[in-house]
Every structure is written in structure tokens, then in C-alpha cells.
Amino acid sequence: YKLADGMPITSDRHRNAGQTTPVIENGVIYQGNRPRFSGRHGYPGMHGLSAAAFKLPSDSNSTNIVPQPFIEVAQVAGGISYHISAPLLVGDALYTIDMAGYFAVYDMKEGKELYHCYPDWHNRCSRMLYGVAASPTLAGNYIYLVNGAGETLVLKSGPKYEVVARNVLEDINRYEPVNNPCDQDMFLTAPVFEGNTMYLRGRQYFYCIEGK
């Protein structure tokens, strides 16, 4: 929608672009989870994931426009094909991770996948226990991945998967034992950085982690 007058610039037919918050850079929408649907009403039969980039209409008077993807990277992917986290755009690389921990990185300039993997961590995931909900976050030249169990992987940004650090926050959450193995505190939001300080919110506690 245009904030000036509230008029839509896209059609609701574009809803299948994905469920996550997109990234917008220089008039381009980057979507890290664009399901490909088939079957009745276009919903059952989702059989893959893709990353896509859509140009916003250049004419500010345009209304009810369906942006067409000018870059689309498709693949038959692992995971459960459901993203809660938003993608992270670093240069031309789009970093995405789904609820089951399926991590995929795309080169949006060349329109190809750089790599995909399941990180080596203890990721809890079920329908009522979101494995990964936090968005990948950039701090300096490093990508931070946080799962719901309080485990954080620090990766080097770039075309290869390279883990440089692994950290675990272990705290008891005594108020939500249902669907929460071992009463471990849950982490559903991305970290926020300020200088050499990282802030991270769990379900029960708020954490401030500072470098020496």
C-alpha cells in the first residue's frame, strides 16, 4: 500500500509470495520463501522452495499491480517448507532459514543457489515448538543464527558455509513446560547489536551479552 493515500499497489493474488516479512532494497522486494503451489485452489501440493526478487512499480500512480519476479531461484528443498524468520540480504547474497533449520543461501544477482545445509546443532522442532523463528542477523562480517533452544551459530558471511563460533544459553523456563522439553527457555526473536553488545530476548529472560 502507498502510505500517502492508502491505495494498494499490489493485488491480493500476490499472497503466495510467502509468509515471512520480506527485505526491501532500492525498490526491490526480496522474498526468501516463495512456495510453489499446485493442486486444488492452489494451496495443497507445495513441492519446493524458491527465492525471488520483485521490482516495485516505478509509477507511483500505479494501483493493483502484480509485480513479476525478475529473479527467481527454485529448487526441491529439504526442511518443512515453512519460514517464520525473515531473510537477510548481504550484498547480493540472501540468507534464509526455515522452522526445521534448513539453511539456504542464494546469489540474487546471478539467480542461483550458493549452498544449503542443516546446521549441526540441537534444534527442537514440532508444530507447537518452533525450531527456528529468529531471523539471520548480520553483525560486522558475521551472520548470527539463533534457534529456539538458545543455541547460536556464528558464520562467516560469504559463498561458503563456515562456522566460527557456537554458543548455548541454558536457562530454566518454569512457566511453560508444555511442548517445551527440559523446561529450557525459548528463543524466538533475532538478536540486536549495539557496539560490542548483543541483546537477545527469551520467553522468560532478557539477555545482554557483552564482549571483553
Side-chain angles (χ1 to χ4, degrees), residues 4 16 24 40 45 58 88 92 95 107 110 112 115 120 129 133 139 152 159 167 170 190 192 197 207:
N16 70 344
I24 301 177
R40 186 181 179 188
S58 57
L88 170 67
D92 296 321
Y95 295 81
D107 184 331
E110 299 295 330
K112 65 179 183 180
Y115 65 84
D120 182 17
L129 185 65
T152 299
N167 302 282
E170 293 183 293
V192 174
T197 302
Y207 300 82

Side-chain angles (χ1 to χ4, degrees), residues 2 5 12 21 28 39 47 63 80 93 108 117-120 132 139 142 151 164 166 180 190 193 195-196:
K2 293 187 293 181
D5 55 16
D12 64 355
T21 301
V28 178
H47 58 86
T63 59
I80 58 175
M108 299 307 292
C117 67
Y118 280 99
D120 182 17
V132 180
Y142 298 101
E151 192 167 359
V164 297
R166 180 190 308 271
N180 193 1
F193 294 87
N196 67 340

Side-chain angles (χ1 to χ4, degrees), residues 146-168:
V146 180
N147 69 18
E151 192 167 359
T152 299
L153 295 181
V154 184
L155 315 176
K156 276 189 177 180
S157 62
K160 296 181 179 180
Y161 179 74
E162 184 176 353
V163 178
V164 297
R166 180 190 308 271
N167 302 282
V168 181

Side-chain angles (χ1 to χ4, degrees), residues 52 108 114 155 178 188 196-197 201 212:
M108 299 307 292
L114 294 176
L155 315 176
V178 179
L188 303 176
N196 67 340
T197 302
R201 182 170 67 87
K212 295 181 179 180

Side-chain angles (χ1 to χ4, degrees), residues 9-10 22-31 52-59 67-70 89:
I9 61 172
T10 61
V23 173
I24 301 177
E25 183 75 19
N26 296 325
V28 178
I29 297 176
Y30 295 91
Q31 184 66 51
F54 303 85
K55 287 184 178 179
L56 287 169
S58 57
D59 182 3
Q68 297 299 315
F70 72 98
L89 182 67

